[in-house]
Amino acid sequence: MNRKPPWVQGPDGQSLEDSTADTLGIPDRKRNAPVGVFDSGVGGLTVAREIMRQIPEERLIYFGDTARLPYGSKSKDTIVRYSRQVVRFLRTKDVKAIVIACNTASAYALETIQAETDIPVIGVINAGARTAVSATRNGRIGVIGTEGTIGSGIYTEVIRKLGPQTQVIGKACPLFVPLVEEGLLHDSVTDEIASRYLSVLKGKYIDTLVLGCTHYPLLRSTLGRLMGDAVTLVNPAYETALELRDLLKAHDLNREPDACMEGEKYQFYVSDLAEKFTSFAAAILPNQVRETRKIDIENY
């Protein structure tokens, strides 16, 4: 059965706009609570960066599942289990909304998490799909992502709903995530692997390419150079931040301008390799990642 998650449907089936915060069990709208963001590693920092830019008043708690990455090669059942554990951890931080900043987890676990959670939860796929459909001129859209994201067919499904005549060509690029996690953003090895992956898409004459993994925007300069100026690169991170901004406003969950700041504005947690994460994150979010705390995510 296709039902709305509890945060968009009131107790009598009415829309959230017709319901109140009290009836949905959201105390005081939790307006000043932080937003939770999670990913398999550092890639989701591209989403966190856009949230900080587009909604600078909001607090944020980020979790990178660095002990269990990459997510893209794992089964749906495993990704759902991982996502549930991460959400349970974020709920201990009293977050008011959650962004699944991982395309694989968005593809496999978003609907499950939405149905089980009484706060807003969004992923990154819908935002990227909408932007791609708006950007394409010839109706030929390429999508690169992990094996899990491409194998799920979720981008094709969402894009075709928005643009029924659109042709979608997916290409799994499983080596991009470990290359990014190792910091090989500008390396001859990365160039060679990217050239091999993208040759398939270049032969299909796409004019729009969705970076369907939050790690991939960190390779944007390489991907853009190889695809050429005629191909528009779509980074779902930016659109996801705008979607979150609109969602918080619509549900009266945006932070009060004069609210007292309790604790650090931005907090970062990982399941392993905290020092390595901090070092890498400093390049993406200069002066924002002061400390990264390691937790045992299996306890959640």
Side-chain angles (χ1 to χ4, degrees):
M1 182 172 64
N2 205 359
R3 67 182 181 88
K4 291 182 180 180
W7 54 268
V8 295
Q9 181 171 304
D12 298 318
Q14 74 269 37
S15 67
L16 183 60
E17 288 77 10
D18 299 324
S19 184
T20 66
D22 290 338
T23 58
L24 287 177
I26 306 176
D28 301 323
R29 298 275 193 169
K30 302 177 66 174
R31 292 184 61 181
N32 302 320
V35 171
V37 179
F38 80 88
D39 183 53
S40 63
V42 301
L45 291 173
T46 60
V47 177
R49 178 174 59 189
E50 291 300 333
I51 293 173
M52 293 174 186
R53 287 173 176 171
Q54 305 305 321
I55 332 174
E57 68 277 10
E58 293 294 343
R59 298 169 58 206
L60 186 147
I61 293 179
Y62 182 93
F63 176 79
D65 200 359
T66 48
R68 305 187 294 195
L69 66 84
Y71 276 14
S73 58
K74 296 179 173 63
S75 69
K76 178 177 180 178
D77 287 347
T78 296
I79 297 303
V80 170
R81 177 169 65 85
Y82 287 178
S83 298
R84 281 171 166 157
Q85 289 177 315
V86 177
V87 168
R88 283 195 286 267
F89 163 69
L90 290 174
R91 294 305 300 269
T92 69
K93 301 300 180 181
D94 198 32
V95 297
K96 63 184 177 183
I98 293 174
V99 178
I100 303 180
C102 171
N103 283 263
T104 303
S106 294
Y108 284 157
L110 177 62
E111 289 188 2
T112 298
I113 297 302
Q114 285 179 332
E116 296 175 350
T117 308
D118 62 353
I119 60 174
V121 183
I122 62 172
V124 291
I125 289 174
N126 288 341
R130 284 196 303 270
T131 305
V133 171
S134 298
T136 186
R137 301 174 303 280
N138 68 4
R140 302 172 71 85
I141 297 174
V143 180
I144 54 175
T146 64
E147 291 175 316
T149 298
I150 300 301
S152 73
I154 186 67
Y155 266 107
T156 300
E157 178 184 340
V158 176
I159 289 173
R160 291 297 298 275
K161 284 182 180 178
L162 297 170
Q165 305 305 315
T166 304
Q167 183 176 356
V168 184
I169 302 96
K171 174 61 180 174
C173 303
L175 294 178
F176 279 172
V177 170
L179 287 170
V180 168
E181 293 284 343
E182 288 300 318
L184 300 175
L185 305 183
H186 306 284
D187 189 277
S188 58
V189 173
T190 304
D191 275 14
E192 174 63 24
I193 291 172
S195 180
R196 293 190 183 190
Y197 283 153
L198 298 180
S199 63
V200 175
L201 297 173
K202 293 178 75 172
K204 298 294 184 179
Y205 303 104
I206 64 169
D207 73 346
T208 304
L209 178 62
V210 179
L211 309 185
C213 173
T214 49
H215 286 71
Y216 295 2
L218 298 172
L219 300 173
R220 188 184 184 101
S221 61
T222 297
L223 300 176
R225 172 168 47 81
L226 292 172
M227 292 305 298
D229 294 338
V231 176
T232 299
L233 301 186
V234 174
N235 174 11
Y238 171 74
E239 301 298 332
T240 299
L242 296 184
E243 182 178 342
L244 175 65
R245 182 192 64 188
D246 294 343
L247 181 143
L248 294 178
K249 183 178 179 179
H251 297 278
D252 198 20
L253 285 170
N254 45 318
R255 189 171 182 273
E256 297 173 332
D258 300 325
C260 178
M261 183 68 67
E262 299 179 4
E264 300 172 38
K265 184 174 184 180
Y266 303 131
Q267 298 178 38
F268 300 87
Y269 296 85
V270 293
S271 50
D272 200 12
L273 302 172
E275 291 184 5
K276 181 179 179 181
F277 178 92
T278 301
S279 177
F280 193 100
I284 303 173
L285 299 171
N287 305 316
Q288 299 291 2
V289 188
R290 298 178 181 177
E291 179 186 10
T292 303
R293 301 174 179 89
K294 177 185 174 182
I295 65 162
D296 187 350
I297 194 62
E298 295 290 355
N299 288 334
Y300 295 86

